[in-house]
Amino acid sequence: MMSLGASTLAPWLAYIAAADFFIGTYPNAELMFVFPVQNFFVLVTGSMILMFHSEKLPLNQRIILPQIAVVASLAVVPCLNLLAVEHDLALKLTLLAQLAGAVCVTVYQSASYGAGAMLGPSVTNSLETGKGLGGLGIILARMGAKAMLPSTRAGLVMSTNVFFAFSNCLVITSIVLWTAMLRDPYAAAKIKEYEDQRQANNLAAAVAAATPDPKNGVSRAGNSVEKSKLLELESARSYSKVNEQAAAPSDAWTVLRALSLPAGVVASGFMVCLSCFPGLTTSLSSRTLGLGDWFPVLMVFAYNTFDLVGKSLPNAKLLFTAETLPLAEACHLLFIPAFVLVARRPPLDQGPLLAFFGSDEFAFLLVSGLGLFTGYITCSAMMLGPGCVPKHQDRILAGQMMTCCLMIGLFAGSMLGVGLAQIA
């Protein structure tokens, strides 16, 4: 499951970690703000749709097929570079490729977190830890490619091609490992458990739709034959284990109310993160360490390193409950004014305090803290959320709702980041 978590991040980080390439190639396009807005708008709207419709398809189809499409989308940027496509057309195709990747990630990320919520917090933590490992691996690959190739335009293009190829290998590895995992007896039993619950929930929903409306006595299924078949299926399961699972799931509003605190923390946590990173972070320039175009790359590296640490810690020790997490998130909000202060570039010659706030060292400290606290708080919330719903059969929907709130926070943060860039 870690490789699956890592692959959900690859299409996003491939574009963000190559900030130096995209800023240099399309200097007037503001892609470090456009990418987040486009990416997370797709993730939010897609997650809302999938929350109610995706469970009709088997889990394996929702994992494998979108990942294959992601492999194709990640091949676009290297192909554009190798074919020397005209500037404006290349920009449009780049945005289209990123959009396609976001659509595909939405499908298999929603599926994976729905399964994780039903199978237990350790699975959710594996997905989150995988994201952290994938993020760190991707940015290390970016740094390695950049270091090994010359600091010229040709070297930058080549390093970007190598880096996108590495990101694609990450997704391909996830496909291979997922396929291999299905052959493991323990994993196969877990997936079967998930599929049984999915089918049971679908059956319960279909029976509910076939039940006559108490107001007018008309079947919501709209067809007496269909209703009869559905009731036969329900009757056949009346004394089986499947019937216990098929007890009618709660409605979406009931599940959302039960999740309100951890879901709110997830949304707020990622809103804070995306309002500061990558837009404001990668717009900073090195002022005291002379790092040049390495500065935005190293800033992304610092964030991903501490994000991995933050995501890994909840599995060892949960410091908060669902009720106390909002207090931690209230402190997390303070990162927004701190990043605005740094983005406004405090003068270096008007006292030691302002010089410290304007230094590269403080910028690294701030982005590292953002990664650590965002990783810990949001991973804790994702693990605690599904446990807040009393019915086991509600946990798939709970996991998908947590993912949707995560996406809402990411999209809100990307929009807020654009606004903050105007005042910073």
Side-chain angles (χ1 to χ4, degrees):
M1 295 299 280
M2 282 191 183
S3 64
L4 183 59
S7 74
T8 64
L9 206 59
W12 160 244
L13 265 186
Y15 292 91
I16 297 307
D20 51 345
F21 168 78
F22 288 112
I23 291 171
T25 305
Y26 309 107
N28 299 318
E30 299 289 350
L31 289 182
M32 290 303 103
F33 293 100
V34 174
F35 282 152
V37 172
Q38 174 174 270
N39 189 72
F40 298 122
F41 175 77
V42 170
L43 291 175
V44 168
T45 54
S47 296
M48 288 181 175
I49 295 170
L50 291 170
M51 196 161 52
F52 299 103
H53 298 288
S54 67
E55 291 300 305
K56 293 179 173 60
L57 293 174
L59 179 65
N60 196 44
Q61 291 181 19
R62 288 178 284 140
I63 297 292
I64 294 293
L65 297 180
Q67 287 192 95
I68 293 173
V70 164
V71 171
S73 73
L74 283 174
V76 170
V77 170
C79 287
L80 293 175
N81 289 338
L82 292 171
L83 297 173
V85 175
E86 186 268 330
H87 180 276
D88 290 345
L89 177 59
L91 174 59
K92 292 174 183 177
L93 291 174
T94 296
L95 291 170
L96 185 61
Q98 202 246 353
L99 178 66
V103 171
C104 296
V105 167
T106 303
V107 175
Y108 72 87
Q109 182 166 258
S110 176
S112 60
Y113 277 100
M118 204 277 287
L119 297 175
S122 62
V123 177
T124 300
N125 182 258
S126 292
L127 290 167
E128 286 293 299
T129 303
K131 279 187 174 182
L133 286 168
L136 186 59
I138 288 170
I139 189 59
L140 282 172
R142 178 61 182 152
M143 292 169 63
K146 186 176 176 64
M148 288 187 293
L149 292 162
S151 300
T152 61
R153 174 63 190 171
L156 179 61
V157 170
M158 181 58 69
S159 69
T160 301
N161 292 345
V162 171
F163 166 64
F164 266 79
F166 172 84
S167 301
N168 231 340
C169 287
L170 199 62
V171 181
I172 293 169
T173 300
S174 174
I175 295 172
V176 172
L177 291 178
W178 174 266
T179 304
M181 186 187 75
L182 295 179
R183 300 175 184 272
D184 178 74
Y186 176 78
K190 283 291 187 181
I191 298 300
K192 185 179 184 301
E193 179 186 348
Y194 172 85
E195 286 296 327
D196 288 345
Q197 184 66 69
R198 181 186 67 82
Q199 292 173 11
N201 286 354
N202 287 340
L203 173 66
V207 170
T211 303
D213 191 321
K215 294 182 180 179
N216 55 27
V218 177
S219 169
R220 289 188 292 273
N223 184 309
S224 60
V225 175
E226 181 182 354
K227 174 186 172 182
S228 175
K229 289 181 178 178
L230 289 168
L231 292 177
E232 283 179 18
L233 285 170
E234 177 68 4
S235 177
R237 292 163 172 77
S238 58
Y239 298 103
S240 68
K241 181 180 178 181
V242 174
N243 183 62
E244 295 176 9
Q245 293 174 323
S250 304
D251 61 84
W253 178 243
T254 300
V255 174
L256 184 58
R257 279 188 298 174
L259 292 173
S260 57
L261 287 179
V265 167
V266 165
S268 176
F270 281 105
M271 180 199 70
V272 171
C273 176
L274 263 289
S275 66
C276 305
F277 177 90
L280 286 179
T281 302
T282 55
S283 69
L284 300 176
S285 56
S286 181
R287 306 177 70 196
T288 59
L289 297 177
L291 296 173
D293 63 359
W294 273 94
F295 189 63
V297 178
L298 291 172
M299 292 285 276
V300 175
F301 171 72
Y303 173 85
N304 281 285
T305 300
F306 283 89
D307 179 60
L308 171 60
V309 174
K311 282 180 165 64
S312 302
L313 290 176
N315 200 41
K317 179 66 175 179
L318 273 172
L319 297 176
F320 304 101
T321 64
E323 290 73 27
T324 58
L325 261 179
L327 299 176
E329 179 52 31
C331 298
H332 188 232
L333 290 167
L334 297 174
F335 277 101
I336 294 178
F339 267 89
V340 171
L341 171 65
V342 171
R344 298 187 75 168
R345 294 171 173 79
L348 301 175
D349 57 355
Q350 294 186 16
L353 185 60
L354 284 178
F356 175 66
F357 287 144
S359 67
D360 293 354
E361 292 86 348
F362 181 70
F364 278 115
L365 180 65
L366 193 61
V367 78
S368 299
L370 178 69
L372 179 66
F373 285 100
T374 300
Y376 188 87
I377 291 170
T378 56
C379 183
S380 297
M382 292 296 290
M383 292 173 65
L384 291 168
C388 294
V389 296
K391 292 184 180 180
H392 187 70
Q393 62 266 29
D394 290 337
R395 292 192 174 183
I396 295 175
L397 178 59
Q400 292 172 337
M401 282 189 167
M402 292 294 292
T403 304
C404 187
C405 290
L406 183 157
M407 301 307 171
I408 290 171
L410 291 171
F411 178 64
S414 64
M415 295 298 294
L416 179 58
V418 174
L420 292 176
Q422 303 304 313
I423 65 173

